[in-house]
Amino acid sequence: ATRIGTKGYTSNGVTYSAFENTDGTYAFVLLNNTNEVKKIVLSDDNNHFSYDIPLKSVVSFRWKK
């Protein structure tokens, strides 16, 4: 995978990275190191979705371009 740029959401205690995989998919990994649920919206040029990130958790997503 190759790390790609991200922009938009910022919050203290939330860290994330996005990647483009060799199989033509995107991957996204997020750490919510806060004591609150965080709502995020992920978007590329063709897709978007929202998700409530539980407190003190790590989540990952993978989807086709």
Side-chain angles (χ1 to χ4, degrees):
T2 301
R3 186 171 181 200
I4 56 177
T6 57
K7 63 181 179 179
Y9 186 84
T10 60
S11 180
N12 288 336
V14 175
T15 306
Y16 56 86
S17 293
F19 304 88
E20 185 172 359
N21 296 314
T22 57
D23 66 357
T25 59
Y26 289 125
F28 186 84
V29 180
L30 183 143
L31 165 66
N32 179 3
N33 197 28
T34 72
N35 291 317
E36 303 173 355
V37 172
K38 298 291 186 173
K39 182 175 186 125
I40 63 161
V41 175
L42 293 176
S43 179
D44 62 22
D45 290 335
N46 301 309
N47 306 288
H48 70 277
F49 58 93
S50 62
Y51 190 79
D52 292 330
I53 309 298
L55 57 115
K56 299 290 185 181
S57 66
V58 175
V59 296
S60 63
F61 303 94
R62 184 172 162 254
W63 67 97
K64 290 184 181 182
K65 292 167 59 173

